[in-house]
Amino acid sequence: AEESGGTIKCTILGKEECEKRGMGAYLGVARGSETDPQFIHLTYTPKSGDVKKKVGIVGKGLLFDTGGYNIKTAMMELMKFDCGGSAAVLGAARAIGELAPEGVEAHFIVAACENMINDRAVVPSDVLTASNGMTIEIINTDAEGRLTLADALVYADKEVGCESIIELSTLTGACMVSLGKKVCGVWTSDDDLASQLADVSKTTGDKSWRMPLEKEYNAQLESKIADITNCGTRYGGAITAALFLENFVSKKKPFAHIDIAGPVWDDKIGATGFGAKMVTEWVSRQGKSEE
């Protein structure tokens, strides 16, 4: 923000401010860590002040993920990359600040925290309440990223009033199984947004593939004690994760979930920065649209 010449403003919400907003899903994940959560909101406004489109970009910001009480039994040493979505979003914010595109107001949002284990941490069978009032039964504490994203999406949708929203996250191993480590998965019910992201993908080289939103799989997320569970079965796990997130954005609003779990990390070189170019290009194009 300091380097943007005044086009980017930064707001960070602490634990108490998140509590006032009822962010029970996000704070439920965060309470297992001795490090307090930090809800980051960067706002880009064009120098002219002329705004044609107001967009939201949400990034998953798990700074470390042990899995919680459903503790990870493999790859835990790599879980520093579970903030890959937020890295892409914040990297794009810096680029947008330097490129200074006209016509678009962009909100870059990261609900940052850790998924750790202590005597206050969430356990399976707990019920959390998200900021839109939806209750969530915790089936698996390692399906935590979607809980933090739930409240971030409600914030982008309701409090900020973004007209369209994209979200990037290292969300599921199931997406890696489906598409490998070079291609991200895109889930959206909006054909125009899908087309935009596909074209941006070709332009930037951040490879993507549109995946199905099979509504029948919503049955996997049904709960006897809450509105929804936080994960389904092992089959179609990347799809049920996307279906879960749809509950936290207005139905008529263009929204895309982008799972970058595969391409965000390369075993030879480490972090790849995948997604930053995609977001930067998408945001830059929004101000050129008259829609």
Side-chain angles (χ1 to χ4, degrees), residues 126-190:
D126 276 353
V127 175
L128 303 178
T129 303
S131 48
N132 65 347
M134 179 163 282
T135 55
I136 307 164
E137 179 187 2
I138 305 305
I139 300 298
N140 190 313
T141 62
D142 198 21
E144 85 299 328
R146 66 200 68 184
L147 300 173
T148 68
L149 293 169
D151 283 326
L153 289 170
V154 173
Y155 178 88
D157 181 14
K158 301 297 185 183
E159 182 162 339
V160 180
C162 296
E163 297 168 46
S164 59
I165 301 169
I166 63 172
E167 167 269 314
L168 290 85
S169 53
T170 49
L171 205 60
T172 68
C175 188
M176 296 171 68
V177 172
S178 299
L179 297 176
K181 301 191 70 175
K182 298 296 183 182
V183 182
C184 72
V186 176
W187 283 262
T188 179
S189 58
D190 189 283

Side-chain angles (χ1 to χ4, degrees), residues 8-29:
I8 294 180
K9 294 182 179 179
C10 178
T11 300
I12 298 180
L13 306 180
K15 180 181 177 183
E16 291 185 1
E17 292 166 298
C18 292
E19 286 176 343
K20 290 177 181 178
R21 289 168 168 80
M23 296 182 177
Y26 167 47
L27 294 174
V29 175

